Amino acid sequence: MLDAIVEPLKLWAEGVILQTGYWGVALLMFLDSCNIPIPSEVIMPFGGIMAAEGKLTFVGVGLAGSFGTVLGSILNYWIGAWLGKEGLIKYGRYILIRRSEVEHGDQWFHKHGAIVTLWGRFIPLVRTFISLPAGIYRMNFPLFTLYAILGATPWCFAWAWVGFKMGENWEELKKYW
């Protein structure tokens, strides 16, 4: 069922990037960071492929993705701060968050502290939701923002690089597909 949702979103995301370039990358990464199921593992490589084709630049794609991710993370932080734990449990289902996931995030935050908002950004799925408990616990906002930047930037550049290398070797890769 998830594939029935993700595949049309993937095709839509590719169309957005083709039409709007860097702003599309930033918008899609913003939405990804706001828990909309548009995987960064699709957005950033597609931007990287476009960079390999000369339609965008590698650095521009990486920066646009990082910018969108950080903005989405900041919005999630403030949603967590506004709703609090009980509000997130009550309304989380509208953004695909179950009670067990809220509890799990709560445990991680209590066990590991604020640093989880940095290293959690390198774990798929966790990376999009980690901003919510940071907001719930009113983590120091400048530190949160720094961790968001430090986590988003290598993630976005790494996936853009994967796409860039795919784009450079597209004819060779097609032989195996």
Side-chain angles (χ1 to χ4, degrees):
M1 180 176 131
L2 188 60
D3 194 44
I5 295 169
V6 172
E7 185 60 27
L9 283 173
K10 175 185 165 291
L11 294 172
W12 173 77
E14 290 171 353
V16 167
I17 295 171
L18 284 170
Q19 294 295 313
T20 60
Y22 301 114
W23 288 110
V25 172
L27 171 67
L28 294 172
M29 291 302 289
F30 171 81
L31 294 173
D32 172 59
S33 290
C34 290
N35 313 315
I36 308 298
I38 308 169
S40 59
E41 296 88 342
V42 171
I43 300 164
M44 295 309 300
F46 188 73
I49 289 169
M50 290 184 67
E53 294 172 349
K55 296 175 183 169
L56 299 172
T57 67
F58 173 75
V59 171
V61 169
L63 290 175
S66 299
F67 178 73
T69 299
V70 171
L71 287 182
S73 297
I74 288 170
L75 178 62
N76 260 2
Y77 174 95
W78 290 112
I79 289 171
W82 178 59
L83 288 177
K85 182 179 174 183
E86 293 308 314
L88 192 57
I89 288 171
K90 183 176 181 180
Y91 298 109
R93 68 177 180 259
Y94 298 112
I95 54 172
L96 305 175
I97 299 173
R98 297 179 299 237
R99 178 185 196 98
S100 62
E101 293 163 332
V102 174
E103 297 292 343
H104 192 71
D106 185 47
Q107 291 169 357
W108 269 35
F109 210 84
H110 277 300
K111 182 176 180 181
H112 302 288
I115 195 70
V116 75
T117 63
L118 174 59
W119 59 260
R121 297 197 178 276
F122 298 99
I123 303 170
L125 292 177
V126 172
R127 63 181 300 281
T128 58
F129 294 101
I130 200 63
S131 302
L132 293 166
I136 289 170
Y137 293 104
R138 305 284 177 141
M139 178 183 166
N140 175 284
F141 186 70
L143 182 62
F144 167 80
T145 304
L146 176 64
Y147 284 173
I149 292 166
L150 292 175
T153 303
W155 180 269
C156 290
F157 273 90
W159 282 108
W161 182 82
V162 167
F164 191 85
K165 289 299 175 186
M166 286 174 61
E168 284 183 333
N169 299 290
W170 194 251
E171 291 305 314
E172 188 64 28
L173 288 172
K174 282 186 353 187
K175 293 178 189 176
Y176 300 102
W177 288 345

